Structures are given as C-alpha cells and as structure tokens.
Amino acid sequence: MLTLAVATMSLLFVNPVVAGEWSGYIAAEYRSFPHDTADSRQYDDNFSFVIEPEYHHKIDGSYESITFIPFIRVDQHDNERTHFDIRELMWQKAAQDWELRTGIGKVFWGVTESQHLVDIINQTDLVNAPDGEDKLGQPMINFALVRDWGTIDFFLLPGFRERTFSENEGRLRTNPRVDTEQAVYESAHGKRHIDVAVRWAHNIGIMDIGLSHFYGTSREPRLVLGTDSAGDTVFVPHYDLINQTGLDMQITSGGWLWKLETIHRSGQGETFNAATAGFEYTFYGLGNSNKDLGVLFEYSYDDRRQNSPSLFQDDVMLGARLTFNDVNDTEALLGVIYDRYYKSKGLNLEASRRFGDSIKVSVEARTYHETPASDPLNQFRNDDYFQAELAWYY
Amino acid sequence: MMKRIFFLCVLLLPFGLHAETPEEKGLAIAKEVNHRDSAWHDQQSTMRMVLKNRHGDESSREIRNRLLEVEGDGDKTLIIFDEPRDVKGTAFLSYTHAKVPDEQWLYLPALKRVKRISSNNKSGPFMGSEFSYEDINSQEVDKYTYKYLRDEKVEGRDSFVNENYPSYEYSGYTRMVVWIDKEYYQPVKIQYYDRKNELLKTLSYAGYKQYAGRYWRPDIMEMVNHQNGKSTRLEWSNYRFKTGLTERDFDRNTLKRIR
C-alpha cells in the first residue's frame, strides 16, 4: 500500500505537465439523540466537522489522470469517529480496449438501494455513516479489458482495510463496543493478504448485468465476545477468508427499474446465499408539476435466517423518493424497513437542498421501532437520531 | 380511406407534376436540416446555463457536451457537469434511438455509482432549467412528424415555418412551431405548445457562426417559459468538430472516469 501510495504521490508532484485543479467541500454536522443512552458514557448530541478536498490532474487529453482525495473528520465526542483517510490517490490510464488504475480508490458494484450485497471491493467506513454507504479508500491495481461482449475488470487488492467502529463514547454502535485493536485474521498474512476479484459487466438493450467473484478477507467481520485490556467485555472482529460470487442485474423498461442482487458466500461460518430484489417506479411530472415521485419496493433474504448477523435476513423495504427538479436540486427520500421475522421496523428520512451556488443543507432522521432483544437491530433501540449537515462546496 | 384516395391520386398524377403536400414539404425541410448538419462525426462544446426566476434572481451551471454521430440511429450524448460544485463530476450518458426508447445512464461521483435511469423523463426539467430532457437530447428526423406552414421573416431572417409533432411517447408537447433559417438551415425560433395545446415556451437562437466551414451553431439560446415567468439562457463556447472521439468515449467505463 505504502509503495503504491509513494509511486502515485511522486507522479502527482513530479510530473511537470499542466497543473491540476482543486475542488472539494467542508461540512459541519450536528446529531441529536432524543432517547437515553444505553451506556452512560455515550453522548446525547454531537458536532462533527469534515474536510474532503479533491485534486485532479489530467495528462495527455483526458485519457490519463491522477486524483487525490484526502478525508478528515473531527468529532466532538467519538475519538474513533475522528479519523483521516485517503479516499483516493489514483493514477489511471485508458486506451481503446483497456483501462488501468493503480493506487487507492473506490469501486461500486450493484443496483439495489436497501443494501449493497454485491459491492465488496471497499471497506465500510461505519463511523462515518451508520447506513454503510461511506467507504474507506482501498489500495488496488485494476486492469479492465473493454470488449464488444462487455468489460472484464481484474483487481489485485493489497492491504486490507479494517471496518471502523465507534468507541465507548460513540452512539450507533454495538453494546459492548467493538475493539478493533484485537482484530483476528484467518489469513496467516493478516492485513497483508492480497485479495483478488474479477467482474464482468455488460449492457444488453434494456438489461444491465454484472457477474463478479471475490477471494480474500471478508470486509464484513464476525463479531465474537471477548475482553479488552481493562477486562471489560468487548466484541472482537474476526476477519475470515471468503469466496463470494455475486450477480447484479437491472432491467429498465418504461418508468420501471427492476433490480436484483444476489450473492453466494463461503468461508464465513456456514456457506450461505443472500439476495435483494425489487423495483423502483417513477411517476414523472407529478400532478402536472415538475416533481417526480419514485416508489421503491425491495425484499431481502438471507438463507441463514435468524442465524444471520445481517439486518436484512427477511426484510421488506418500502420507499418514496421525491425529486423537485428545481433550481436548488431539492430532494427527499423516505424509507421504511420491516423485518418479517422479528416484526421490527426502521424508519429513514433523508432530504437535501442547495442554497445559492455552493451551500448544501442535508437533514437525516432514523428511528427504530419494536426491536426484540434477539434482533440485530436491537443494538440501535436507543439510538433514534436527527442529523443536520451544512456543507460548503468549492 | 382518405389516405388511400390520396395515394391513388398521387399514383395517377404524371411523375414530377404532383404538388408537394405540406407534410411532404415539412419532412423535406427537416431532412435537409439534418443532411446539412450531418457528417460532423463528433463534436464538443462548453455551455454556461443561466437560470432566471420571475423575480430576476439568477443562478448558473457549467457543463461540457460531447456528441457522437451514429450511422442509421440516434446520436450518443455525454454531458459532464462542472458547476454547481456539489454536482461536479456528475455525468449523463444518453443513447438516443428513433424507434425504441433512449438508453440513459447517470454517474454519481460521490458514490462512484453508474445508475441506469428511465428515459420516460422526457418532459422533466434538465438541471432545474426551462429546458426539458427532450429539448436538449439529440433531435432525430424520425422523432417527429412534420407540416410546412408558411414562409416568414423572423428576427430579420427569411425562414421556413414548420410544425413538428413528437412521435415518441411521454413528450410534454402537442406540437412545436419551428422557424428555420433559409440560409443556415438551423432554427431561429421555436414555440412549444403544451399537452393542452397552450403556448408554453419560446426558444430564441442568436449569434450563429459557421464552424469547420460548414456547421452553423448559435452563441446564445434563450428559453422563456410564458406560463411560469422563468427563463434559461444557454451561452455556448468552444465548439469543436471531428475531434476524434469514438464509441469508446461514450461507454459506461468512460462515464466513471471522465470528470
């Protein structure tokens, strides 16, 4: 990882061709938790600040470039949430029938909204966002072959990134906390195991399809009870070596988007299959206005059933996405997740709007209802929250 | 029945003597517009979009456009957003088709996600502007039926006046009245009539210049919405033709790294 970073860095600063450009954003976030804490060390409300600058440098037209995106979060209470990451430090080159990327970067695979089963290249930056949408930069060499019959991406992934977890003071965490210091690896090479992945992606008319395989250290740890150096009970993350095959597919027809993601994973306890399938239908120009209303329905299943650590082992997601199509790009998304086995519910609201040319305000609220003790969602039962973020883009 | 009788009449007329119907003339003009603006292979341009509300408040966007001419089918379009800053790096890829629905993808840089999106959003506003997706998408001859109305002088230019009727689904218009400059064979003015056949918008073109010794392009396009009092001005610059772009510059891989 270090060698890759140094190689890319030297390219970034030594190359004498035209100067690149900086952009990025600075954001302030406020979170409020109305319910009593599960652990007396936890906070009731919290401020947090983020800086994410972005440097982009194009060489030789637009077919070769370098991107550098450092990320810094400073959190009022949670020292694990205060963190630095290199989201991207990537050199890339594209030719007529291939592309090569070397460095640290992010790759997204998949089509569904409620969860991202197939997406596996990057580790989740869980302290950053509890929905798992934020990712840590992953060191990689990615070679893509571009052919008439689709694109095949080969990945060599040296340097494992551990999932981030909140410390005792943090909210939206397991109780007890996860002690990342004690992480256990199945591979004798630990974090230095080189993971590999391959993916074929193609577009055939109304269908977009991807088929992938990953072999390496699971991004998702098993959490096993243990004790920390102070003798307190903690969860210890166990990172197993897994094989995972994934299929993602979307059929786009009229206002309908039909989506499917499914995986087959072995090496992490019992071999299992999981899937998310559903649709999104959009009503354009709602009531003769400029607004669009998207209705989402997804069902997630994991054949380990209640033995699954997943929040989506037998869950229905219903959502509504309202896009205003106005000057301010106002949009709102409301989602309800209902667990058919545990009968628990999770509510999720996200909305954002731009003010002027460079200020963006986002609000987010999550609430958890009727979670029985056996439900993995139960860990969040006290952590309903409201969040507001003010970001300045430059 | 009418059509059949008409067809018989045409057959009975000595060749070359039959009068051109307004529909035939309208189509012939549209084809000539298309013909004169063909064989550019690919083109690139930069555009500043100024949105004005009824109180006169302005906000702007900056985008880059790339187009690829496709033989026997609709063109491919790639639009890259530079401003506002929070959407910088977002890119929109569209494969237009005459007969089947267009294919569209959106790239969201923060998530590194390429999303296939529905192309039913024809009448929806493009970036919150008074231009809808169907206004900015590539204009293919087969996407409309035509009727020639009259000759008329507009903005001091001798023009043909054509009426266009969208033949694709989900259009926000019943018809468009198009003034086509007789010299440039490019539109001078377009009036859009909504689904209730009421005047919705007027688009005016200004500052036509010739590029690559053949292709006429405007510096300014101004769309005024008569129903909501808002307007959007497009300021074009940096037109380039035959820049060597290929199919590969319009694939989903390119969408992810174009910026």
Side-chain angles (χ1 to χ4, degrees), chain A residues 21-23 54-56 58 62-63 65 67 69 88 92 94-99 101 106-108 110-113 116 133 146 151 153 201-203 205-209 250 252 254-257 259 284 288 290 292 321 325-329 354 357-358 360 393-394, chain B residues 51-53 58-61 64 66 82-88 95 101 103-105 107 109-130 133 170 195-196 228 230 244-249 251-254 256-259:
Chain A
E21 53 165 7
W22 285 95
S23 56
E54 186 167 338
Y55 177 80
H56 191 72
K58 263 183 205 162
S62 57
Y63 297 102
S65 69
T67 311
I69 310 176
E88 203 168 323
Q92 61 177 350
Q96 191 58 35
D97 51 8
W98 57 267
E99 292 187 8
R101 269 173 279 273
K106 181 160 94 171
V107 170
F108 179 86
V111 292
T112 57
E113 305 297 331
H116 306 303
E133 295 277 344
V146 182
T151 299
D153 276 289
H202 197 32
N203 152 240
I206 60 169
M207 182 170 71
D208 289 67
I209 187 168
Q250 183 177 312
T252 308
W256 295 92
L257 313 179
K259 299 169 171 192
Y284 291 101
N288 226 1
N290 283 336
D292 299 336
R321 188 201 308 273
N325 290 313
D326 57 352
V327 176
N328 311 89
D329 279 337
R354 181 176 50 245
D357 288 332
S358 49
K360 191 171 177 179
Y393 288 82
Y394 60 94
Chain B
L51 285 66
K52 201 191 273 182
N53 67 15
E58 289 190 352
S59 64
S60 70
R61 285 114 179 67
R64 281 169 284 152
R66 294 175 187 193
D82 291 328
E83 281 179 27
R85 289 296 192 171
D86 64 312
V87 296
K88 184 181 167 65
Y95 296 175
E103 297 166 73
Q104 297 180 346
W105 292 268
Y107 175 65
L111 302 170
K112 301 270 184 232
R113 181 170 177 180
V114 174
K115 257 183 158 174
R116 174 83 180 261
I117 57 172
S118 165
S119 59
N120 281 15
N121 61 343
K122 295 267 186 289
S123 62
F126 177 71
M127 292 185 91
S129 75
E130 296 314 308
Y133 279 88
Y170 309 109
R195 290 186 188 125
K196 292 180 214 134
N228 66 17
K230 297 181 190 171
L245 298 179
T246 66
E247 297 268 341
R248 179 77 168 87
D249 294 288
D251 71 7
R252 291 177 304 158
N253 296 304
T254 298
K256 285 188 265 188
R257 56 170 174 75
I258 194 69
R259 280 201 37 139

Side-chain angles (χ1 to χ4, degrees), chain B residues 21-218:
Chain B
T21 66
E23 286 77 13
E24 285 169 342
K25 186 164 181 186
L27 178 63
I29 293 166
K31 279 185 171 166
E32 185 62 16
V33 168
N34 186 62
H35 173 71
R36 294 206 190 186
D37 198 60
S38 62
W40 39 257
H41 187 268
D42 67 274
Q43 55 174 295
Q44 301 190 45
S45 58
T46 309
M47 182 181 96
R48 196 171 114 88
M49 192 181 236
V50 182
L51 285 66
K52 201 191 273 182
N53 67 15
R54 69 179 89 197
H55 309 295
D57 303 330
E58 289 190 352
S59 64
S60 70
R61 285 114 179 67
E62 266 179 49
I63 66 177
R64 281 169 284 152
N65 287 284
R66 294 175 187 193
L67 275 115
L68 184 74
E69 204 171 25
V70 179
E71 285 292 325
D73 201 353
D75 299 337
K76 294 185 176 182
T77 309
L78 177 63
I79 296 173
I80 308 141
F81 301 78
D82 291 328
E83 281 179 27
R85 289 296 192 171
D86 64 312
V87 296
K88 184 181 167 65
T90 303
F92 173 74
L93 177 66
S94 167
Y95 296 175
T96 44
H97 301 295
K99 302 262 153 46
V100 296
D102 297 346
E103 297 166 73
Q104 297 180 346
W105 292 268
L106 192 66
Y107 175 65
L108 306 167
L111 302 170
K112 301 270 184 232
R113 181 170 177 180
V114 174
K115 257 183 158 174
R116 174 83 180 261
I117 57 172
S118 165
S119 59
N120 281 15
N121 61 343
K122 295 267 186 289
S123 62
F126 177 71
M127 292 185 91
S129 75
E130 296 314 308
F131 285 83
S132 61
Y133 279 88
E134 62 188 312
D135 302 336
I136 60 142
N137 257 338
S138 129
Q139 306 292 314
E140 306 297 327
V141 173
D142 291 348
K143 290 211 154 195
Y144 305 90
T145 54
Y146 304 86
K147 190 168 137 190
Y148 164 78
L149 299 179
R150 58 186 181 269
D151 281 9
E152 195 173 275
K153 209 167 195 158
V154 65
E155 314 283 340
R157 307 288 306 174
D158 285 322
S159 304
F160 300 111
V161 188
N162 247 4
E163 200 157 59
N164 297 4
Y165 312 95
S167 53
Y168 49 88
E169 280 187 286
Y170 309 109
S171 174
Y173 312 124
T174 45
R175 62 190 174 107
M176 294 138 70
V177 180
V178 186
W179 282 260
I180 295 148
D181 191 297
K182 286 187 176 179
E183 185 193 347
Y184 308 153
Y185 270 84
Q186 283 285 325
V188 186
K189 188 168 102 167
I190 302 176
Q191 286 183 332
Y192 299 86
Y193 289 82
D194 68 12
R195 290 186 188 125
K196 292 180 214 134
N197 202 19
E198 278 161 27
L199 180 62
L200 176 63
K201 306 186 288 193
T202 301
L203 174 61
S204 312
Y205 296 75
Y208 268 108
K209 289 190 183 69
Q210 200 174 32
Y211 297 86
R214 179 166 175 192
Y215 309 109
W216 291 94
R217 290 289 178 276

Side-chain angles (χ1 to χ4, degrees), chain A residues 99-298:
Chain A
E99 292 187 8
L100 180 64
R101 269 173 279 273
T102 304
I104 298 164
K106 181 160 94 171
V107 170
F108 179 86
W109 298 342
V111 292
T112 57
E113 305 297 331
S114 47
Q115 65 168 342
H116 306 303
L117 283 171
V118 167
D119 188 36
I120 197 170
I121 296 293
N122 291 79
Q123 179 59 272
T124 299
D125 191 356
L126 196 58
V127 295
N128 221 38
D131 61 8
E133 295 277 344
D134 290 359
K135 300 290 171 180
L136 297 169
Q138 170 66 47
M140 67 176 75
I141 297 170
N142 166 213
F143 181 72
L145 271 177
V146 182
R147 294 285 188 270
D148 292 342
W149 39 264
T151 299
I152 292 201
D153 276 289
F154 299 93
F155 293 88
L156 210 60
L157 307 163
F160 178 75
R161 303 297 312 274
E162 282 180 66
R163 184 164 295 193
T164 57
F165 292 98
S166 287
E167 62 162 15
N168 283 324
E169 284 71 15
R171 295 295 288 253
L172 296 159
R173 63 163 168 83
T174 56
N175 198 11
R177 73 179 174 102
V178 175
D179 185 6
T180 53
E181 306 272 296
Q182 300 189 59
V184 176
Y185 294 88
E186 182 183 342
S187 166
H189 300 286
K191 286 166 87 164
R192 289 189 306 278
H193 181 268
I194 295 174
D195 303 337
V196 290
V198 59
R199 174 180 161 91
W200 167 75
H202 197 32
N203 152 240
I204 310 155
I206 60 169
M207 182 170 71
D208 289 67
I209 187 168
L211 189 62
S212 54
H213 189 83
F214 170 90
Y215 170 69
T217 301
S218 175
R219 273 49 183 150
E220 180 190 13
R222 266 185 306 119
L223 300 178
V224 180
L225 280 172
T227 46
D228 64 10
S229 50
D232 291 328
T233 305
V234 288
F235 277 119
V236 174
H238 282 243
Y239 292 100
D240 302 307
L241 281 173
I242 60 160
N243 271 288
Q244 176 171 313
T245 307
L247 168 75
D248 59 273
M249 205 166 109
Q250 183 177 312
I251 290 172
T252 308
S253 178
W256 295 92
L257 313 179
W258 296 96
K259 299 169 171 192
L260 169 71
E261 283 194 33
T262 178
I263 59 164
H264 175 87
R265 184 187 292 179
S266 60
Q268 194 171 34
E270 56 176 316
T271 297
F272 70 95
N273 302 290
T276 300
F279 66 80
E280 179 167 352
Y281 181 80
T282 307
F283 298 92
Y284 291 101
L286 200 63
N288 226 1
S289 71
N290 283 336
K291 297 179 190 70
D292 299 336
L293 177 69
V295 179
L296 294 87
F297 172 86
E298 285 179 8

